[in-house]
Amino acid sequence: MSRKWLEKEGRRWLELQIITQEQLEQILKLYPSKKFGIGVLPIFGGLLVGLGVLTFVAANWQEIPQWFRLGLIIAVMCGFYWSGERSKAAGYHRIGEALAGAGLLTFGAGIFLVGQMYHLTSYSVISFLIWGIVGLLLTYLYRSRFMFFLTTLILVIAQSYGYLSFISFSYAAALITLIGLGGFVWLRSPKWMEAFLLSGALLVHLLYFLNERNWNEMWFYVLLAFLYALSDWMPASGAKQGFRSFAVSIGFLYGLWMVMVGDWLGLSMKVPASLYWILLPYALFMGVSIWKKIRNEDLDKGSWTIVEWLPLLPLFLVKTGGIYVYLIALWLFSLYLLFYGYRIQNRRYANWGTAGFIAVVLVAYTKLTWAFMDKSMFFISAGLLLLGLSGWLYRRNKTILVGNEGEGGHDE
Amino acid sequence: MMNKRDPRHRNIRPWLVVIVLMQALFLLALAGSYHAAHALGEEIRLKTAPVDPRDLFYGDYVTLRYEISSIPVQRIADLKPDSDGDIEDLYKRQIYVVLTEEEGIHRLKQAYLERSNIPKGSGPVLRGIIQGGWNDEVNVKYGLERYYVPEGTGTELELRQEEIIMRVKIAAWGQALIVGPDHL
């Protein structure tokens, strides 16, 4: 909520005699306008000078004596950290963290520039890992989302670089992500964004691992099951929602993907017998999750969410039905989101449910019309359903969701 | 506004100073180790394949390929004779290449998969990683495949020759790095 908005609305409340002048002033006092303006100028000035120095250095890099280059890198790095601290002390936390992040990036650039001074091409990920570890330390120190983001990215790049240049999986990069960044999410339980990013990074590491081992990539369903079960056992927090949203949305998107290309990619292909092993850990996580849901005292709220397992099911293992199995699962899940969203009066659930429903119908349409034009009845009925639904939603919207905007924090 | 409980107002400076110092020291140590390898290492001279002339126009480095960048499998001394010759089993393995000097140029003498198998006093050893292969030869990368060309020093002209000899230093602890093209 911005102060400007508050000032504008406040005047209206005053006119409508909802509040008095004193009350308005009291309310406004609660939200002091942020100092901005003149204090930022020196920072922009500093950034400009820094950029100028950087371009000058980059253009003349080869002619600068080596010891001076090294000193310059270290000085620029320290300068960023120092000005970050100064900005934080002055109350500009975001800018402070951004400057410290620039310090971290300079450190990484320094590692590679030093290598370049000696014509070295690094063939190990160790440099990246040290960079990532420093990022991790700074993440804990600043408790900052920006640092968390940078560190996650550095470790994913480390893994990708190692994999693409010498096809080996870096257990260190994966473990630092899992334990180091996972620990941050666990201990600090930040907003959903961090948990979502962490899940994404873990998925990337896992895919490289599966690729290196020549395992089927369908094993990623186990990660989705794990993240979802984990979210069930976590106390209510942003991170809980992050893990849950990630598992469900990736499962949903992958399901859509399978519907689109599954019959050439996965479904027509014979499922190798070894792939059934994924059912073992999968069933464990699923069982743990469902047990928690059923045991949950708030039965009404807990048990219904069992439906959220639908997009997480490894349906490619089902031999009959092909893409229809996925279609039906995704379709049911979208309907669940829609109706459950209305039931608990959560607009985001309902909106995502609508989006999911439309996505499923569209994918089904584009996919199926090529093969079976005579399935037109399916689309007419889907279209009618959609029309009916939108009309019904519109009326419900008017009656139910008024005043409940944005309650709860669940996206899909 | 300055709420003491706000975690953003924790005093993190002592730790930050430690972490920043660690970073500075790491960069110094890294440069120091390279510098020591440069100063103390044993110099060898390696023959390279001609440089792609386009490389000199794009980017600021040239990609080098050495005579010893491909090594016949038969020259790997400690390769088990019972292996069915599947070259892919060797991918990603480290390889130690023992060099011998012939007329001022260092050439392959013998290669080993384990450092401990190298007989004492064999001569300079370069460590590389096997990346791919072809028929009975493996491709080896040493981390010496890029040379950042200093501008306006005439080095560009030197790199245009048919054959280039690159001077490389090998430190006692195995670090190898390029000194530059040899002046003929």
Side-chain angles (χ1 to χ4, degrees), chain A residues 31-52:
Chain A
Y31 306 95
S33 59
K34 287 188 187 122
K35 353 176 221 171
F36 193 81
I38 214 143
V40 191
L41 288 180
I43 289 162
F44 283 124
L47 274 178
L48 275 179
V49 171
L51 278 175

Side-chain angles (χ1 to χ4, degrees), chain A residues 15-201:
Chain A
E15 280 163 24
L16 294 170
Q17 293 180 332
I18 300 169
I19 54 172
T20 65
Q21 180 68 38
E22 290 86 58
Q23 281 171 328
L24 176 62
E25 273 159 22
Q26 280 173 332
I27 290 171
L28 285 176
K29 228 181 233 168
L30 287 175
Y31 306 95
S33 59
K34 287 188 187 122
K35 353 176 221 171
F36 193 81
I38 214 143
V40 191
L41 288 180
I43 289 162
F44 283 124
L47 274 178
L48 275 179
V49 171
L51 278 175
V53 170
L54 268 181
T55 39
F56 177 78
V57 168
N60 299 284
W61 187 243
Q62 298 287 355
E63 281 135 61
I64 300 171
Q66 292 199 341
W67 60 268
F68 191 75
R69 291 187 220 173
L70 183 64
L72 205 64
I73 293 165
I74 292 176
V76 168
M77 182 184 80
C78 293
F80 273 129
Y81 285 118
W82 180 77
S83 47
E85 269 307 286
R86 288 295 303 263
S87 310
K88 282 185 69 189
Y92 304 108
H93 289 279
R94 288 277 169 82
I95 293 173
E97 281 167 12
L99 284 168
L104 176 62
L105 292 178
T106 312
F107 174 62
I111 295 176
F112 296 98
L113 285 173
V114 168
Q116 185 183 333
M117 289 190 324
Y118 292 92
H119 307 286
L120 279 174
T121 329
S122 172
Y123 284 103
S124 83
V125 288
I126 291 170
S127 324
F128 274 107
L129 289 179
I130 287 169
W131 190 12
I133 289 169
V134 170
L136 185 69
L137 292 175
L138 291 173
T139 303
Y140 276 91
L141 193 64
Y142 282 98
R143 300 183 187 174
S144 136
R145 173 187 285 187
F146 183 58
M147 285 290 179
F148 182 90
F149 173 71
L150 283 181
T151 308
T152 314
L153 197 68
I154 290 168
L155 289 169
V156 163
I157 292 173
Q159 187 67 270
S160 311
Y161 172 79
Y163 190 81
L164 298 177
S165 49
F166 37 88
I167 322 184
S168 74
F169 179 78
S170 165
Y171 288 90
L175 284 177
I176 296 169
T177 305
L178 182 69
I179 297 169
L181 293 171
F184 180 77
V185 170
W186 190 259
L187 293 172
R188 297 267 160 260
S189 89
K191 300 266 160 46
W192 73 274
M193 175 76 102
E194 280 89 335
F196 201 88
L197 277 173
L198 175 70
S199 309

Side-chain angles (χ1 to χ4, degrees), chain A residues 6 55 74 116 124 142 144 164 206 209-210 228 304 325 381:
Chain A
L6 197 65
T55 39
I74 292 176
Q116 185 183 333
S124 83
Y142 282 98
S144 136
L164 298 177
L206 177 72
F209 174 78
L210 296 175
Y228 189 86
W304 260 106
V325 185
S381 54

Side-chain angles (χ1 to χ4, degrees), chain B residues 7-26:
Chain B
R8 294 182 305 181
H9 294 291
R10 288 170 308 135
N11 186 14
I12 61 166
R13 281 195 191 169
W15 283 109
L16 184 66
V17 168
V18 170
I19 294 174
V20 174
L21 263 177
M22 269 164 48
Q23 292 173 74
L25 283 177
F26 176 76

Side-chain angles (χ1 to χ4, degrees), chain A residues 202-388:
Chain A
L202 287 177
L203 180 62
V204 173
H205 287 290
L206 177 72
L207 289 177
Y208 280 122
F209 174 78
L210 296 175
N211 229 307
E212 200 231 13
R213 299 264 121 181
N214 273 325
W215 287 15
N216 197 300
E217 68 237 30
M218 293 298 180
W219 276 91
F220 87 90
Y221 269 103
V222 174
L223 178 70
L224 298 190
F226 165 73
L227 292 172
Y228 189 86
L230 179 74
S231 81
D232 265 330
W233 284 83
M234 282 177 83
S237 67
K240 180 191 179 96
Q241 300 303 345
F243 287 128
R244 181 167 296 216
S245 312
F246 183 84
V248 171
S249 46
I250 292 296
F252 191 90
L253 290 174
Y254 194 76
L256 282 183
W257 168 252
M258 282 304 264
V259 172
M260 290 295 281
V261 298
D263 35 3
W264 337 315
L265 270 185
L267 294 175
S268 64
M269 166 190 87
K270 264 195 177 165
V271 176
S274 62
L275 207 48
Y276 286 92
W277 282 106
I278 81 166
L279 287 175
L280 216 67
Y282 187 90
L284 175 80
F285 293 131
M286 192 177 183
V288 160
S289 155
I290 289 177
W291 183 56
K292 175 77 179 174
K293 283 178 194 295
I294 291 172
R295 223 191 47 158
N296 200 332
E297 278 166 25
D298 188 4
L299 256 186
D300 182 46
K301 209 177 169 187
S303 316
W304 260 106
T305 55
I306 288 174
V307 184
E308 290 173 10
W309 274 92
L310 273 176
L312 302 176
L313 293 175
L315 292 171
F316 61 92
L317 291 174
V318 179
K319 284 196 171 149
T320 51
I323 61 169
Y324 293 100
V325 185
Y326 268 105
L327 266 184
I328 291 165
L330 298 183
W331 186 70
L332 284 176
F333 171 72
S334 308
L335 285 183
Y336 148 78
L337 270 187
L338 244 172
F339 288 108
Y340 187 60
Y342 281 102
R343 180 115 186 266
I344 64 166
Q345 305 191 354
N346 182 321
R347 176 162 282 181
R348 265 199 251 179
Y349 263 79
N351 286 346
W352 280 110
T354 317
F357 184 87
I358 291 168
V360 173
V361 170
L362 283 179
V363 165
Y365 187 83
T366 47
K367 182 68 198 172
L368 297 176
T369 36
W370 275 303
F372 319 96
M373 279 305 280
D374 56 333
K375 300 271 177 197
S376 48
M377 276 315 287
F378 176 83
F379 299 105
I380 293 172
S381 54
L384 287 175
L385 194 66
L386 208 60
L387 285 172

